[in-house]
C-alpha cells in the first residue's frame, strides 16, 4: 500500500469498481475495448486517480483505483461511464445503430472499499481474471 499526499492530507482510498454494459451485451472487444480502456485512463489521470489495476471483459469493466479524498466515487464513475459511452458511440457508429441510440453501458455500478478484503486478494483476483479465457485485457 502506497499512500498519496494532498496539500493538507495523506491518504489511501482503495476502491474496487465494476460496471457492465447495458443488458450485459458483449460489445467490449477489439478496437472498442482498447478505446474504452484509454478513456478510463484519461479520466483517471485528469482527476489525479491512481489506476492500480483494471480489466475489461467483453461485458463489464472491473478496476481497482486509489481516489483522492476531494473526489466522490460516484462522480468518478459518472465521468468514466459517461465519457466512454459518448465517445464510443461517436467513434463507433455501429454501436449506436445496434442499440438504437441507447447508451451501451448500464446505469448501475458496484463499488466497495478494500477494508474487508486485503488489497492483495483484489489484485490476485484481477490477475486471475486476466488469465481467464473469456477474453479479458489489461
Amino acid at each position: 500500500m502506497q499512500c498519496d499526499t494532498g496539500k493538507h492530507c495523506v491518504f489511501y482510498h482503495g476502491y474496487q469498481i465494476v460496471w457492465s454494459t447495458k443488458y450485459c451485451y458483449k460489445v467490449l472487444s477489439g478496437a472498442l475495448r482498447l478505446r474504452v480502456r484509454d478513456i478510463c485512463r484519461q479520466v483517471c489521470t485528469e482527476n489525479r486517480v491512481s489506476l492500480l489495476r483494471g480489466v475489461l471483459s467483453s461485458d463489464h469493466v472491473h478496476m481497482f483505483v486509489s481516489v483522492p479524498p476531494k473526489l466522490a466515487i460516484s462522480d468518478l464513475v459518472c465521468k468514466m461511464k459517461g465519457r466512454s459511452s459518448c465517445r464510443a458511440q461517436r467513434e463507433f457508429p455501429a454501436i449506436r445503430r445496434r442499440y438504437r441510440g441507447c447508451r451501451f453501458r448500464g446505469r448501475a455500478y458496484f463499488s466497495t472499499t478494500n477494508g474487508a478484503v486485503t488489497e492483495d486478494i483484489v489484485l490476485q483476483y484481477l490477475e486471475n481474471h486476466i488469465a481467464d479465457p473469456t477474453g479479458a485485457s489489461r
Side-chain angles (χ1 to χ4, degrees), residues 48-94:
R48 298 185 58 218
V49 172
S50 299
L51 180 59
L52 303 174
R53 174 76 61 186
V55 175
L56 272 75
S57 291
S58 59
D59 64 346
H60 71 279
V61 176
H62 192 158
M63 59 181 63
F64 188 57
V65 295
S66 175
V67 180
K70 68 177 185 175
L71 180 64
I73 193 69
S74 59
D75 292 339
L76 174 67
V77 173
C78 183
K79 288 176 186 179
M80 276 197 265
K81 288 172 65 174
R83 190 176 299 176
S84 63
S85 176
C86 182
R87 288 189 181 172
Q89 288 184 42
R90 191 179 323 134
E91 296 173 15
F92 299 91

Side-chain angles (χ1 to χ4, degrees), residues 14 19 26 45 52 55 65-66 68 70 105 115 117 120:
W19 76 82
K26 298 183 182 306
T45 302
L52 303 174
V55 175
V65 295
S66 175
K70 68 177 185 175
R105 59 162 173 93
V117 179
D120 295 332

